[in-house]
Amino acid sequence: MANTIALKHRIGSVKNTRQITKAMELVSASKMRRAQERAKLSRDYQVAAYDLLARLSTLKEVEIHPLFAKRKVKSRLYVVITSNSGLAGAYNYNVLKALTSSVRSDRDNGIASYVITVGSKGAQFARRLEHIQLTAVYPALGDTPSSADLWPILNTMIEEYKEKKIDQASLIYTVFVSNLKQQATVLDILPAKVAEETDKPTYKYSFTNFEPSVDVVLDSVAVRLLEIQVWQALLESLASEHSMRMAAMKNATDNANDLIDDLTLEFNTARQSAITQELAEITGGAEAIAK
Amino acid sequence: MIHFQILTISGKKFDDDVYEVVLPTPDGQIGVLQDHMPLITVSTTGVISIRHEQHDPDNRMDHFATYGGVIEVSDNNLKVLVDEAEHSDEINEAEAKQAMELAQKMKSEAKDQTSLEHAQGLIDRSAIRLHVAGLKHRRQH
C-alpha cells in the first residue's frame, strides 16, 4: 500500500510540473511573436539607414572618418547579449561559448579583450572568465526595450572607440533564423562598414549638400547604423530566447507526459497486485476457518 | 508636394505627401518644400512641424517632438531617421511636467560632469516635449 501512495504523490507532482512548463511554453510563444513583430517595425529604418550609407560610401571622406577608418586591432570590445533567466535550452550557453572561443583566439593573436554584457547570465559568466576586462554590465532589457535603453551601451562603445581604447567592436548575439533554428553569431560593428561593392547605387551624389559638414553627417549616420544593428541584435536575441524557451518547455511537457504514463502504469500494476494479494489472503483465511 | 517620412526604430511615425516640413538642425530651423535641393544634414533635439496643404493655417499643422537624427532630402523625398518622434497628441502634459521637475532635480544634485550632462539632456528633452504638448492647444480639429 505504501508503494501506491508514494506513486500517487509522484504522479501529482509531475502533473504540477507539467502545468507550469505548459504555461511557460504558451507565454514564450506569445512573447516570441511580439518580439518578431517589433523587429519587423524597425525594418524601414534599417533599409533607410543602409541606403543612406551606401550612397555616402562613394565619398572619399569615409576612409579617414574616425568611426569608419580601419586601424590595426590591438584590443577588441565584445557586446554579449544574454538573458536574465534560464530554462531556455542552450540559448545562453551558445552565446557564451562563442564569446569564449573569440577571447581565446584574441589571446593567441595578442589582442586584449573587453566585454560588455547584457543580461545577468552573461554577467555571471564573464566575471569568472579569465583574460578579459569587464567594461560594463547591464541587465537584460526586458520584453519591451526602448531606444533610451540602447544609449548607455552605444555611448560607451563609441567613446572608447574614439579614444582608441578599443580598435574594434563586435556584437555576440543569437540570430533568429527560423522558429526552429537560432544561431549564436559574432558581428563586427565598429569600425562601421560601408556597404558591399554590389550595393552601391548608381545615384549621382556630386551635387548633394552636406550641412553642417560631411564629417558631422558621417558621424550621425554611423551612430544611426550602430543603433539599428544593436537594436536588431537585441530583438533577434529576444525572439530567439523565447523561441528556445518554448522548445525547451515543450520538451519538458512531453517528458512529463511520458513520465506520467509510466508512473500511472506502475501505479496500476502496484494497485492490482495489492488487490490480488489481499484476495489471496482473504480466500486463504476463509479456507482456514472452513476447516 | 513632397513625400515625407519619419522613421524610428520602433516603426514609421509619419508617411504622407505634404506641402511643407520645418525641421530642427544645428544651424537653425530649415523649411523643406517641393523641389528642394538634395541635402543630407543632421537633426537636433527640437520640433518637426508639418503643413499638409499650402493654405493651411499654423493651427492646422502637425507637430512632433524629436531628439536628434539624420535628415535626407532627394528627389522630392524627405526622410528623417530619428530615435523617437512623439506627436503632440501622444504627449501627456502632466507627465512631461513631472519628468521636467525630476530632470531639474537631477541637475541640481548632479555631482560630476557626466551626470550633469545627462540631466541637461533630459531637461532639453522635457522642454521640447512640453513645448510640443503646448502646441496641441492651438490646434483646431
Side-chain angles (χ1 to χ4, degrees):
Chain A
M1 227 17 221
N3 195 18
T4 52
I5 291 171
L7 279 171
K8 216 173 183 175
H9 279 298
R10 271 198 74 190
I11 292 172
S13 78
V14 175
K15 273 188 180 159
N16 283 339
T17 310
R18 181 180 63 179
Q19 208 170 12
I20 293 166
T21 56
K22 184 83 198 161
M24 281 178 79
E25 183 190 333
L26 295 175
V27 169
S28 296
S30 83
K31 280 186 177 171
M32 179 188 82
R33 230 165 326 173
R34 240 174 300 152
Q36 275 177 288
E37 274 160 23
R38 285 176 74 94
K40 245 181 248 157
L41 284 177
S42 60
R43 187 89 198 122
D44 290 323
Y45 186 93
Q46 191 184 12
V47 171
Y50 276 102
D51 192 41
L52 202 56
L53 186 74
R55 291 167 171 212
L56 290 174
S57 64
T58 49
L59 296 167
K60 62 180 188 308
E61 283 90 342
V62 171
E63 282 151 42
I64 50 166
H65 187 270
L67 287 176
F68 288 89
K70 278 196 186 109
R71 47 182 193 242
K72 198 176 173 308
V73 180
K74 275 180 267 147
S75 58
R76 243 178 125 170
L77 173 74
Y78 295 98
V79 178
V80 185
I81 300 170
T82 62
S83 66
N84 273 348
S85 49
L87 293 179
Y91 172 73
N92 289 314
Y93 173 76
N94 287 345
V95 168
L96 296 173
K97 199 170 68 175
L99 172 68
T100 317
S101 67
S102 297
V103 168
R104 195 173 299 143
S105 79
D106 280 355
R107 195 177 32 148
D108 293 343
N109 297 324
I111 297 167
S113 307
Y114 294 84
V115 175
I116 291 179
T117 62
V118 180
S120 58
K121 292 283 168 188
Q124 277 167 22
F125 182 82
R127 282 202 186 96
R128 280 181 280 125
L129 194 63
E130 285 171 3
H131 310 294
I132 62 150
Q133 280 195 48
L134 203 52
T135 306
V137 167
Y138 297 99
L141 303 184
D143 293 323
T144 50
S146 80
S147 65
D149 297 330
L150 290 178
W151 284 108
I153 304 173
L154 289 172
N155 286 340
T156 317
M157 206 153 59
I158 293 164
E159 220 166 274
E160 303 222 321
Y161 188 81
K162 282 189 171 165
E163 283 170 9
K164 306 203 170 159
K165 219 178 134 191
I166 54 165
D167 304 310
Q168 193 175 17
S170 312
L171 280 173
I172 303 185
Y173 71 106
T174 314
V175 178
F176 187 86
V177 184
S178 73
N179 284 357
L180 297 169
K181 191 165 188 260
Q182 297 85 27
Q183 203 162 15
T185 317
V186 184
L187 177 72
D188 300 336
I189 53 172
L190 267 177
K193 272 199 236 21
V194 291
E196 301 293 320
E197 204 66 39
T198 48
D199 296 346
K200 279 187 186 169
T202 46
Y203 192 85
K204 285 267 182 298
Y205 234 27
S206 45
F207 54 87
T208 298
N209 263 38
F210 294 94
E211 284 174 10
S213 69
V214 176
D215 271 355
V216 174
V217 169
L218 277 176
D219 219 59
S220 186
V221 172
V223 171
R224 298 290 119 194
L225 206 68
L226 283 178
E227 181 186 26
I228 190 69
Q229 282 175 321
V230 176
W231 180 254
Q232 281 281 342
L234 278 171
L235 289 178
E236 285 212 21
S237 292
L238 199 62
S240 302
E241 179 195 341
H242 290 308
S243 172
M244 286 170 96
R245 180 167 293 125
M246 193 177 92
M249 288 304 113
K250 189 175 178 336
N251 282 340
T253 311
D254 290 349
N255 281 343
N257 278 331
D258 288 349
L259 197 57
I260 288 169
D261 285 350
D262 290 349
L263 287 173
T264 310
L265 189 66
E266 209 178 309
F267 171 77
N268 286 342
T269 322
R271 190 191 55 181
Q272 190 55 49
S273 71
I275 293 169
T276 314
Q277 198 185 341
E278 223 168 284
L279 278 175
E281 277 165 13
I282 291 168
T283 41
E287 270 171 27
I289 294 166
K291 271 181 191 165
Chain B
M1 297 297 261
I2 184 163
H3 188 76
F4 179 47
Q5 287 180 305
I6 300 181
L7 304 169
T8 75
I9 53 173
S10 48
K12 240 181 227 174
K13 283 286 178 160
F14 189 91
D15 187 359
D16 203 2
D17 287 337
V18 299
Y19 173 72
E20 180 191 14
V21 184
V22 180
L23 301 152
T25 75
D27 298 339
Q29 287 195 319
I30 57 164
V32 177
L33 290 96
Q34 192 175 336
D35 297 327
H36 194 283
M37 66 172 179
L39 170 75
I40 297 179
T41 181
V42 293
S43 138
T44 54
T45 301
V47 188
I48 297 178
S49 304
I50 301 160
R51 198 188 299 277
H52 293 271
E53 301 291 338
Q54 185 173 4
H55 299 295
D56 276 356
D58 283 358
N59 58 22
R60 292 277 300 274
M61 287 170 94
D62 269 313
H63 304 281
F64 287 88
T66 79
Y67 320 106
V70 186
I71 297 165
E72 186 200 2
V73 191
S74 66
D75 246 354
N76 276 329
N77 271 305
L78 170 58
K79 274 185 202 158
V80 177
L81 273 74
V82 285
D83 294 336
E84 268 174 73
E86 284 179 288
H87 190 261
S88 53
D89 292 346
E90 287 174 333
I91 300 172
N92 179 337
E93 217 174 338
E95 190 246 330
K97 237 180 219 151
Q98 233 172 13
M100 180 63 143
E101 279 159 20
L102 197 71
Q104 274 163 344
K105 199 170 149 229
M106 270 172 77
K107 192 186 173 186
S108 64
E109 288 169 1
K111 287 192 183 72
D112 51 63
Q113 193 60 30
T114 328
S115 48
L116 192 71
E117 277 169 23
H118 179 69
Q120 189 56 49
L122 285 177
I123 289 175
D124 293 347
R125 221 179 146 102
S126 303
I128 290 299
R129 292 185 77 210
L130 275 174
H131 176 62
V132 171
L135 292 172
K136 177 162 59 178
H137 298 307
R138 283 193 243 149
R139 272 185 83 205
Q140 290 162 0
H141 292 279

